[in-house]
């Protein structure tokens, strides 16, 4: 008979056993009566001879072989009955557990998807990103040059493949509205390097990398869906890319996850996923060895090669190339996975730590509740043990209750995690890498089960162990509801309070530090204003803008049109807005002191602007004057404070000259304009004004040196219009967009953005971190205060008779309250002290996420401590008040 | 309570099974009858406790050495009768030879000690 059919027949078998024993007894009785005993004596003696009927049944049932299951189901039923009886307790316990497990699991699935999962390429551990080390420009990990790439690809013996990419925004026309699509210009072997093959069509051929052959593209699955509705006839069709017809030769699989924007490293400024891939269109073997360090390189090592060996080899190859210039350029390799996720690693791990700490508090809290509940059952346990219940059975009983709670909480938690992950992905700023790869899978569920198991141990094992150790006699005698309880049990709960307070202290300090950093950060002197300012970016990428004059004509006409828009106070033009990243970086040198430049190799960000740019953006003038329209064709510059501090400290910068070169566009990028003899054409640029430093990169980075030249000095190919408006900025910007469309109906335009939006986005990751940290901190505080309240309130209930007697004997209410408060606050103070020590020790973990304050900022620490004390005091106050109001007559009547 | 059993012999592990099977050799019997037969057969020296008897019967039934059926006794009392199966007979034979070996060995040892 299988165990299940046995379970089915359980009732029958029980009945049969009953009858068997009954027949035994009646036969024994009959025999005794036959021997002359009276009927009643015979009955009694037969029973006595038989022994303990229940025990015989029990041991016989054991032989049926499924007592483990039976015991379990009995315990389970008992636990369910208990939990149903205390529905409030159950709801609170399951709810908090679900929240704790759910948030931990959600956070873990994010961490797993982003940090732990290998990149979804073939053999991803062999993939590295290569950077240029360029000591002269103080580059540790700079972008790479095409010629260096060529040497690496053809001669590096430790590398299986070396590929190169460059981010571009393509203007796509010829299918629907013209619009901008993020894309990559790639070496023909990029996808072979990654180990990805097109889902449809073919990969690039090596010769398609060369100029004149590169009018082919691969598109992403998403773009295939969007433009062609997944129609396979898309293959061979042409799209208009920046005015050039290109042929689609393949579609990449939907599973292709390429890094976005900054995940490629420092250079690629776009934030959307790349959707179009086009070969470089460049003969890299003919590229110059210096200049145009514009690319990111992806390296796949050979199976047995070490990155160190490849790096040495590549550095030697680069060194060989630049030897004629008497400078040093090397290569640096970094694991691609680390590079792609690097920015988010620390923040995510911190958040996981925080959420884990909250789970710990949840467990301690529930363990506490269970302890309280088991204490109330102390007497029951004592009686059970006195009646012969096995201690193991009692242990099992309590553990079973915890188990039921955990299973319920765990299941609800996984459900919550599902929602949590969705909420996280929705709320997270775009900058969190690989977020589209996050999801709940078996690994995550295993983690949830693991954390539930740990939770179960913490909140079930302890109370179970405690209850099973109940000394029978003692408990029956002393644990009546009227007596005070043993000291040791109280101490255990006080420890739990200390632990909770300690963990909360750490979390709150971390949250407070992040919050304060955030405030400091958004109020930092940015060097420009953000209110009433709206911007419109544009790109002159189409082939028709190849000639500089065409670009300048477009810009001149646009500036005239914008100035005519009513309600615009100031309108300006810049090649790149602040907070959009450092770019167009070149050496910074005094024209008249070339020797100085070699001694101190400074660099600056170069911007090309119109006359009213600073007024539009609100960048204060420090000395001299802004550039004016009459300067547009003259060699003048305005510099930032930092430039003066670097080159001419303590001197008058006005009238000094900077050495600047002009760049010309080749099909691939920029290169210095040269004189007929081959020397670089340098210009002496007169400094006419000094403006405030502006934060160009991240808000938390010190502002770089910036040099502003008139926009006609250098054709860049992209830029932003900046408008300071009186009225509705959106109305003004729509007129700007209309004006652009009149000039060039094919130009794709990204959405307009106010400076406030740009600022907002630049701090989005921090704001997100801060919100999460604050939420965890508050949750921890709430849970901890609940825990404190629970413990103190319970102990007051238990002490009611004692307190009643004290009152009856004339103790003052103040004294009673003080005694309760003292009892409550001791573990709080202890936990807080431990938490402060831990926070100081853990401070360096969080230091890199802070701005403008140190990890042991006294203000934060004292504020948090004060807040915690206040909340703890409040949690103790309520039960203390209740203690003081005990009616002695009523409590004594209970005795 | 415990003193009452002091003069009785604790049955060796596994011996109870053998005694029960031996008792059942003469035909189907119920639990009470088995206990009575063992007690009578051993001149009241061996007292089988119900707390051992019934678990043993149920275990042996599960092992397939005995099977049970409900029947009327001579006194018209409904009772559960246990009956030896073929496997039970085989097991009994094996147990018996083991028992003889063991008692022989023990007897040899004890006699040598006395000599």
């Amino acid at each position: 008979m299988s165990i299940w059919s046995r379970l089915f027949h359980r009732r029958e078998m029980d009945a049969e056993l009953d009858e068997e024993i009954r027949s035994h007894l009646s036969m024994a009785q009959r025999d005794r009566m036959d021997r002359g005993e009276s009927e009643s004596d015979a009955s009694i003696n037969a029973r006595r001879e038989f022994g303990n009927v229940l025990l015989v049944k029990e041991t016989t049932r054991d032989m049926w072989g499924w007592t483990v299951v039976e015991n379990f189901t009995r315990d389970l039923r008992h636990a369910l009955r208990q939990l149903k009886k205390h529905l409030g307790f159950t709801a609170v316990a399951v709810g908090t557990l679900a929240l704790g497990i759910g948030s931990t699991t959600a956070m873990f699935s994010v961490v797993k998807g982003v940090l732990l999962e290998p990149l979804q390429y073939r053999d991803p551990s062999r993939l590295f990103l290569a950077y240029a080390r360029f000591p002269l420009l103080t580059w540790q990990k700079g972008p790479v040059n095409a010629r260096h790439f060529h040497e690496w690809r053809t001669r590096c013996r430790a590398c299986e493949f070396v590929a190169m990419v460059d981010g571009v925004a393509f203007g796509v026309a010829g299918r629907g509205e013209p619009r901008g699509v993020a894309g990559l210009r790639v070496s023909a072997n990029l996808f072979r390097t990654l180990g990805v093959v097109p889902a449809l069509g073919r990969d690039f051929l090596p010769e398609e990398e060369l100029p004149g052959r590169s009018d082919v593209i691969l598109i992403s699955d998403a773009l295939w869906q969007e433009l062609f509705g997944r129609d396979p006839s898309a293959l061979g069709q042409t799209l208009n890319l920046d005015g050039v017809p290109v042929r689609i030769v393949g579609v990449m699989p939907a599973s292709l996850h390429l890094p976005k924007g900054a995940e490629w490293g420092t250079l690629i400024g776009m934030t959307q996923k790349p959707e179009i891939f086009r070969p470089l269109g460049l003969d890299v073997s003919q590229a110059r060895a210096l200049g145009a360090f514009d690319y990111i390189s992806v390296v796949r090592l050979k199976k047995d090669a070490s990155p160190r060996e490849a790096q040495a080899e590549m550095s030697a190859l680069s060194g060989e190339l630049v030897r004629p210039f008497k400078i040093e350029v090397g290569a640096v390799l970094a694991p691609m996975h680390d590079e792609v996720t690097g920015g988010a690693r620390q923040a995510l791990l911190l958040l996981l730590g925080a959420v884990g700490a909250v789970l710990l508090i949840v467990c301690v809290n529930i363990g506490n509740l269970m302890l309280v509940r088991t204490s109330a059952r102390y007497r029951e346990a004592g009686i059970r043990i006195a009646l012969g219940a096995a201690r193991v059975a009692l242990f099992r009983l309590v553990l079973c209750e915890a188990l039921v709670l955990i299973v319920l909480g765990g299941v609800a938690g996984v459900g919550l995690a599902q929602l949590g992950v969705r909420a996280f992905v929705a709320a997270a700023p775009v900058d969190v890498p690989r977020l589209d790869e996050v999801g709940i899978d078996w690994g995550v569920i295993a983690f949830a089960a693991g954390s539930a198991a740990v939770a179960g141990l913490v909140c079930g094992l302890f109370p179970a162990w405690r209850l099973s150790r109940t000394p029978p006699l003692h408990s029956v005698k002393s644990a009546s509801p009227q007596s005070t309880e043993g000291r040791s049990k109280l101490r255990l709960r006080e420890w739990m309070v200390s632990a909770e307070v300690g963990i909360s202290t750490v979390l709150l300090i971390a949250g407070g530090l992040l919050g304060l950093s955030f405030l400091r950060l958004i109020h930092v002197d940015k060097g420009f204003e953000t209110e009433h300012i709206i911007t419109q970016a544009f790109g002159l990428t189409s082939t028709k803008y190849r000639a500089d004059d065409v670009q300048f004509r477009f810009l001149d006409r646009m500036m005239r049109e914008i100035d005519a828009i009513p309600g615009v106070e100031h309108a300006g033009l810049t090649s790149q807005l602040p907070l959009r990243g450092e770019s167009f970086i070149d050496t910074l040198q005094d024209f008249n002191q070339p020797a100085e430049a070699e001694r101190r190799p400074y660099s600056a960000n170069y911007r090309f602007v119109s006359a009213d740019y600073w007024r539009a953006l609100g960048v204060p003038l420090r000395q001299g004057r802004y550039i004016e329209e009459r300067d547009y064709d003259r060699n003048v510059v305005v510099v930032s404070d930092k430039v003066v501090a670097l080159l001419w400290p303590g001197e008058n910068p006005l009238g000094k000259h900077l050495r600047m070169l002009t760049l010309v566009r080749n099909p691939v990028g920029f290169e210095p304009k040269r004189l007929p003899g081959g020397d670089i054409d340098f210009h002496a640029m007169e400094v006419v004004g000094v403006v405030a430093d502006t934060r160009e990169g991240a808000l938390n980075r010190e502002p770089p040196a910036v040099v502003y030249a008139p926009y006609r000095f250098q054709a860049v190919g992209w830029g932003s219009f900046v408008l300071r408006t009186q009225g509705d900025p959106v109305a003004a910007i729509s007129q700007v967009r209309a004006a652009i469309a009149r000039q060039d109906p094919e130009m794709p335009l990204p959405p307009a953005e106010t400076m406030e939006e740009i600022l907002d986005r630049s701090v989005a990751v921090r704001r997100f971190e801060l919100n999460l940290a604050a939420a965890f901190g508050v949750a921890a505080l709430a849970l901890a205060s609940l825990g404190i309240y629970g413990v103190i309130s319970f102990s007051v209930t238990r002490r009611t008779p004692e307190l009643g007697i004290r009152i009856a004997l004339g103790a003052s209410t103040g004294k009673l309250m003080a005694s309760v408060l003292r009892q409550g606050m001791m573990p709080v103070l202890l936990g807080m002290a431990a938490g402060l020590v831990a926070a100081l020790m853990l401070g360096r973990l969080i230091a890199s996420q802070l701005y403008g304050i140190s990890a042991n900022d006294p203000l934060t620490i004292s504020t948090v401590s004060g807040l915690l004390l206040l909340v703890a005091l409040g949690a103790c106050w309520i039960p203390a008040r209740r203690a003081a109001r005990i009616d002695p007559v009523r409590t004594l009547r209970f005795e | 309570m415990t003193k009452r059993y002091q003069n009785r012999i604790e049955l060796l592990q596994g011996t109870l099974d053998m005694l029960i099977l031996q008792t059942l050799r003469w035909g189907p019997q119920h639990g009470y009858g088995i206990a009575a037969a063992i007690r009578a057969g051993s001149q009241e020296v061996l007292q089988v406790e119900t707390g051992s008897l019934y678990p043993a019967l149920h275990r042996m039934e599960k092992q397939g050495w005995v099977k049970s059926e409900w029947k009327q006794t001579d006194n018209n009392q409904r009772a559960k009768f246990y009956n030896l199966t073929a496997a039970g007979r085989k097991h009994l034979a094996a147990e018996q030879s083991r028992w003889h070996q063991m008692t022989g060995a023990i007897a040899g040892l004890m006699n040598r000690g006395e000599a």
Side-chain angles (χ1 to χ4, degrees), chain A residues 323-343:
Chain A
R323 191 160 306 133
F325 308 97
K326 297 197 174 59
I327 53 170
E328 188 194 341
V329 175
V332 176
L333 284 188
M336 184 164 173
H337 181 266
D338 293 358
E339 291 302 292
V340 169
T341 60

PDB file of all heavy atoms in Angstrom, chain A residues 323-343:
ATOM      1  N   ARG A 323      56.630  56.300 -31.404  1.00  0.00           N
ATOM      2  CA  ARG A 323      58.028  56.565 -31.090  1.00  0.00           C
ATOM      3  C   ARG A 323      58.554  57.790 -31.839  1.00  0.00           C
ATOM      4  O   ARG A 323      59.229  58.634 -31.241  1.00  0.00           O
ATOM      5  CB  ARG A 323      58.887  55.331 -31.373  1.00  0.00           C
ATOM      6  CG  ARG A 323      60.302  55.465 -30.819  1.00  0.00           C
ATOM      7  CD  ARG A 323      60.983  54.124 -30.661  1.00  0.00           C
ATOM      8  NE  ARG A 323      60.211  53.196 -29.875  1.00  0.00           N
ATOM      9  CZ  ARG A 323      59.993  51.927 -30.232  1.00  0.00           C
ATOM     10  NH1 ARG A 323      60.504  51.451 -31.346  1.00  0.00           N
ATOM     11  NH2 ARG A 323      59.294  51.134 -29.470  1.00  0.00           N
ATOM     12  N   PRO A 324      58.238  57.946 -33.161  1.00  0.00           N
ATOM     13  CA  PRO A 324      58.760  59.132 -33.871  1.00  0.00           C
ATOM     14  C   PRO A 324      58.362  60.448 -33.213  1.00  0.00           C
ATOM     15  O   PRO A 324      59.051  61.449 -33.385  1.00  0.00           O
ATOM     16  CB  PRO A 324      58.110  59.017 -35.258  1.00  0.00           C
ATOM     17  CG  PRO A 324      57.712  57.595 -35.389  1.00  0.00           C
ATOM     18  CD  PRO A 324      57.464  57.072 -34.029  1.00  0.00           C
ATOM     19  N   PHE A 325      57.269  60.467 -32.476  1.00  0.00           N
ATOM     20  CA  PHE A 325      56.802  61.719 -31.860  1.00  0.00           C
ATOM     21  C   PHE A 325      57.386  61.926 -30.472  1.00  0.00           C
ATOM     22  O   PHE A 325      57.043  62.890 -29.791  1.00  0.00           O
ATOM     23  CB  PHE A 325      55.270  61.726 -31.780  1.00  0.00           C
ATOM     24  CG  PHE A 325      54.606  61.430 -33.099  1.00  0.00           C
ATOM     25  CD1 PHE A 325      54.175  60.159 -33.407  1.00  0.00           C
ATOM     26  CD2 PHE A 325      54.444  62.433 -34.038  1.00  0.00           C
ATOM     27  CE1 PHE A 325      53.577  59.877 -34.620  1.00  0.00           C
ATOM     28  CE2 PHE A 325      53.840  62.162 -35.260  1.00  0.00           C
ATOM     29  CZ  PHE A 325      53.408  60.881 -35.555  1.00  0.00           C
ATOM     30  N   LYS A 326      58.196  60.998 -30.042  1.00  0.00           N
ATOM     31  CA  LYS A 326      58.835  61.087 -28.728  1.00  0.00           C
ATOM     32  C   LYS A 326      57.824  61.244 -27.595  1.00  0.00           C
ATOM     33  O   LYS A 326      57.995  62.045 -26.695  1.00  0.00           O
ATOM     34  CB  LYS A 326      59.833  62.253 -28.687  1.00  0.00           C
ATOM     35  CG  LYS A 326      60.977  62.085 -29.674  1.00  0.00           C
ATOM     36  CD  LYS A 326      62.116  63.012 -29.305  1.00  0.00           C
ATOM     37  CE  LYS A 326      63.330  62.768 -30.165  1.00  0.00           C
ATOM     38  NZ  LYS A 326      63.075  62.955 -31.623  1.00  0.00           N
ATOM     39  N   ILE A 327      56.729  60.537 -27.699  1.00  0.00           N
ATOM     40  CA  ILE A 327      55.773  60.529 -26.592  1.00  0.00           C
ATOM     41  C   ILE A 327      55.455  59.081 -26.247  1.00  0.00           C
ATOM     42  O   ILE A 327      55.888  58.157 -26.944  1.00  0.00           O
ATOM     43  CB  ILE A 327      54.465  61.275 -26.927  1.00  0.00           C
ATOM     44  CG1 ILE A 327      53.883  60.735 -28.221  1.00  0.00           C
ATOM     45  CG2 ILE A 327      54.690  62.764 -26.965  1.00  0.00           C
ATOM     46  CD1 ILE A 327      52.496  61.242 -28.490  1.00  0.00           C
ATOM     47  N   GLU A 328      54.687  58.927 -25.197  1.00  0.00           N
ATOM     48  CA  GLU A 328      54.368  57.583 -24.750  1.00  0.00           C
ATOM     49  C   GLU A 328      52.860  57.351 -24.847  1.00  0.00           C
ATOM     50  O   GLU A 328      52.064  58.154 -24.358  1.00  0.00           O
ATOM     51  CB  GLU A 328      54.826  57.413 -23.293  1.00  0.00           C
ATOM     52  CG  GLU A 328      54.718  55.988 -22.794  1.00  0.00           C
ATOM     53  CD  GLU A 328      54.855  55.919 -21.278  1.00  0.00           C
ATOM     54  OE1 GLU A 328      55.371  56.887 -20.676  1.00  0.00           O
ATOM     55  OE2 GLU A 328      54.407  54.911 -20.717  1.00  0.00           O
ATOM     56  N   VAL A 329      52.469  56.278 -25.529  1.00  0.00           N
ATOM     57  CA  VAL A 329      51.058  55.866 -25.552  1.00  0.00           C
ATOM     58  C   VAL A 329      51.029  54.367 -25.330  1.00  0.00           C
ATOM     59  O   VAL A 329      51.800  53.630 -25.950  1.00  0.00           O
ATOM     60  CB  VAL A 329      50.377  56.205 -26.896  1.00  0.00           C
ATOM     61  CG1 VAL A 329      48.958  55.645 -26.919  1.00  0.00           C
ATOM     62  CG2 VAL A 329      50.347  57.712 -27.125  1.00  0.00           C
ATOM     63  N   GLY A 330      50.177  53.917 -24.439  1.00  0.00           N
ATOM     64  CA  GLY A 330      50.085  52.489 -24.162  1.00  0.00           C
ATOM     65  C   GLY A 330      48.644  52.016 -24.249  1.00  0.00           C
ATOM     66  O   GLY A 330      47.747  52.786 -24.600  1.00  0.00           O
ATOM     67  N   ALA A 331      48.447  50.756 -23.952  1.00  0.00           N
ATOM     68  CA  ALA A 331      47.087  50.198 -23.965  1.00  0.00           C
ATOM     69  C   ALA A 331      46.743  49.702 -22.566  1.00  0.00           C
ATOM     70  O   ALA A 331      47.621  49.265 -21.823  1.00  0.00           O
ATOM     71  CB  ALA A 331      46.990  49.048 -24.961  1.00  0.00           C
ATOM     72  N   VAL A 332      45.469  49.812 -22.223  1.00  0.00           N
ATOM     73  CA  VAL A 332      44.988  49.305 -20.937  1.00  0.00           C
ATOM     74  C   VAL A 332      43.788  48.406 -21.215  1.00  0.00           C
ATOM     75  O   VAL A 332      42.877  48.790 -21.941  1.00  0.00           O
ATOM     76  CB  VAL A 332      44.549  50.462 -20.011  1.00  0.00           C
ATOM     77  CG1 VAL A 332      43.968  49.913 -18.726  1.00  0.00           C
ATOM     78  CG2 VAL A 332      45.729  51.373 -19.715  1.00  0.00           C
ATOM     79  N   LEU A 333      43.815  47.189 -20.655  1.00  0.00           N
ATOM     80  CA  LEU A 333      42.685  46.278 -20.837  1.00  0.00           C
ATOM     81  C   LEU A 333      41.891  46.190 -19.541  1.00  0.00           C
ATOM     82  O   LEU A 333      42.465  46.154 -18.457  1.00  0.00           O
ATOM     83  CB  LEU A 333      43.181  44.873 -21.191  1.00  0.00           C
ATOM     84  CG  LEU A 333      43.685  44.636 -22.612  1.00  0.00           C
ATOM     85  CD1 LEU A 333      43.944  43.154 -22.827  1.00  0.00           C
ATOM     86  CD2 LEU A 333      42.678  45.137 -23.621  1.00  0.00           C
ATOM     87  N   ALA A 334      40.563  46.180 -19.655  1.00  0.00           N
ATOM     88  CA  ALA A 334      39.727  45.981 -18.474  1.00  0.00           C
ATOM     89  C   ALA A 334      38.612  45.025 -18.858  1.00  0.00           C
ATOM     90  O   ALA A 334      38.088  45.100 -19.978  1.00  0.00           O
ATOM     91  CB  ALA A 334      39.145  47.308 -18.013  1.00  0.00           C
ATOM     92  N   PRO A 335      38.262  44.097 -17.955  1.00  0.00           N
ATOM     93  CA  PRO A 335      37.199  43.133 -18.291  1.00  0.00           C
ATOM     94  C   PRO A 335      35.936  43.875 -18.731  1.00  0.00           C
ATOM     95  O   PRO A 335      35.504  44.813 -18.076  1.00  0.00           O
ATOM     96  CB  PRO A 335      36.964  42.389 -16.982  1.00  0.00           C
ATOM     97  CG  PRO A 335      38.240  42.545 -16.222  1.00  0.00           C
ATOM     98  CD  PRO A 335      38.812  43.862 -16.622  1.00  0.00           C
ATOM     99  N   MET A 336      35.352  43.439 -19.815  1.00  0.00           N
ATOM    100  CA  MET A 336      34.203  44.146 -20.371  1.00  0.00           C
ATOM    101  C   MET A 336      33.046  44.176 -19.372  1.00  0.00           C
ATOM    102  O   MET A 336      32.357  45.178 -19.224  1.00  0.00           O
ATOM    103  CB  MET A 336      33.758  43.459 -21.656  1.00  0.00           C
ATOM    104  CG  MET A 336      32.641  44.194 -22.349  1.00  0.00           C
ATOM    105  SD  MET A 336      32.477  43.611 -24.040  1.00  0.00           S
ATOM    106  CE  MET A 336      30.992  44.453 -24.557  1.00  0.00           C
ATOM    107  N   HIS A 337      32.860  43.061 -18.662  1.00  0.00           N
ATOM    108  CA  HIS A 337      31.747  43.022 -17.714  1.00  0.00           C
ATOM    109  C   HIS A 337      31.898  44.094 -16.650  1.00  0.00           C
ATOM    110  O   HIS A 337      30.957  44.809 -16.339  1.00  0.00           O
ATOM    111  CB  HIS A 337      31.669  41.633 -17.079  1.00  0.00           C
ATOM    112  CG  HIS A 337      30.550  41.486 -16.102  1.00  0.00           C
ATOM    113  ND1 HIS A 337      30.719  41.692 -14.753  1.00  0.00           N
ATOM    114  CD2 HIS A 337      29.258  41.204 -16.282  1.00  0.00           C
ATOM    115  CE1 HIS A 337      29.562  41.515 -14.149  1.00  0.00           C
ATOM    116  NE2 HIS A 337      28.652  41.221 -15.039  1.00  0.00           N
ATOM    117  N   ASP A 338      33.108  44.220 -16.097  1.00  0.00           N
ATOM    118  CA  ASP A 338      33.335  45.234 -15.058  1.00  0.00           C
ATOM    119  C   ASP A 338      33.115  46.630 -15.607  1.00  0.00           C
ATOM    120  O   ASP A 338      32.576  47.499 -14.926  1.00  0.00           O
ATOM    121  CB  ASP A 338      34.765  45.136 -14.516  1.00  0.00           C
ATOM    122  CG  ASP A 338      34.985  43.843 -13.765  1.00  0.00           C
ATOM    123  OD1 ASP A 338      34.013  43.069 -13.658  1.00  0.00           O
ATOM    124  OD2 ASP A 338      36.108  43.611 -13.298  1.00  0.00           O
ATOM    125  N   GLU A 339      33.576  46.853 -16.849  1.00  0.00           N
ATOM    126  CA  GLU A 339      33.455  48.180 -17.422  1.00  0.00           C
ATOM    127  C   GLU A 339      31.992  48.549 -17.639  1.00  0.00           C
ATOM    128  O   GLU A 339      31.563  49.660 -17.378  1.00  0.00           O
ATOM    129  CB  GLU A 339      34.195  48.241 -18.762  1.00  0.00           C
ATOM    130  CG  GLU A 339      35.688  48.146 -18.608  1.00  0.00           C
ATOM    131  CD  GLU A 339      36.249  49.241 -17.712  1.00  0.00           C
ATOM    132  OE1 GLU A 339      36.213  50.394 -18.123  1.00  0.00           O
ATOM    133  OE2 GLU A 339      36.706  48.922 -16.596  1.00  0.00           O
ATOM    134  N   VAL A 340      31.226  47.584 -18.112  1.00  0.00           N
ATOM    135  CA  VAL A 340      29.825  47.860 -18.426  1.00  0.00           C
ATOM    136  C   VAL A 340      29.026  48.118 -17.152  1.00  0.00           C
ATOM    137  O   VAL A 340      28.163  48.981 -17.104  1.00  0.00           O
ATOM    138  CB  VAL A 340      29.229  46.682 -19.219  1.00  0.00           C
ATOM    139  CG1 VAL A 340      27.723  46.811 -19.312  1.00  0.00           C
ATOM    140  CG2 VAL A 340      29.832  46.642 -20.613  1.00  0.00           C
ATOM    141  N   THR A 341      29.351  47.381 -16.080  1.00  0.00           N
ATOM    142  CA  THR A 341      28.533  47.510 -14.874  1.00  0.00           C
ATOM    143  C   THR A 341      29.203  48.358 -13.804  1.00  0.00           C
ATOM    144  O   THR A 341      28.599  48.634 -12.780  1.00  0.00           O
ATOM    145  CB  THR A 341      28.264  46.132 -14.258  1.00  0.00           C
ATOM    146  OG1 THR A 341      29.514  45.548 -13.934  1.00  0.00           O
ATOM    147  CG2 THR A 341      27.518  45.244 -15.211  1.00  0.00           C
ATOM    148  N   GLY A 342      30.457  48.752 -14.059  1.00  0.00           N
ATOM    149  CA  GLY A 342      31.268  49.376 -13.016  1.00  0.00           C
ATOM    150  C   GLY A 342      30.575  50.499 -12.276  1.00  0.00           C
ATOM    151  O   GLY A 342      30.606  50.579 -11.054  1.00  0.00           O
ATOM    152  N   GLY A 343      29.911  51.384 -13.025  1.00  0.00           N
ATOM    153  CA  GLY A 343      29.333  52.557 -12.394  1.00  0.00           C
ATOM    154  C   GLY A 343      28.265  52.226 -11.380  1.00  0.00           C
ATOM    155  O   GLY A 343      28.074  52.945 -10.403  1.00  0.00           O
TER     156      GLY A 343
END
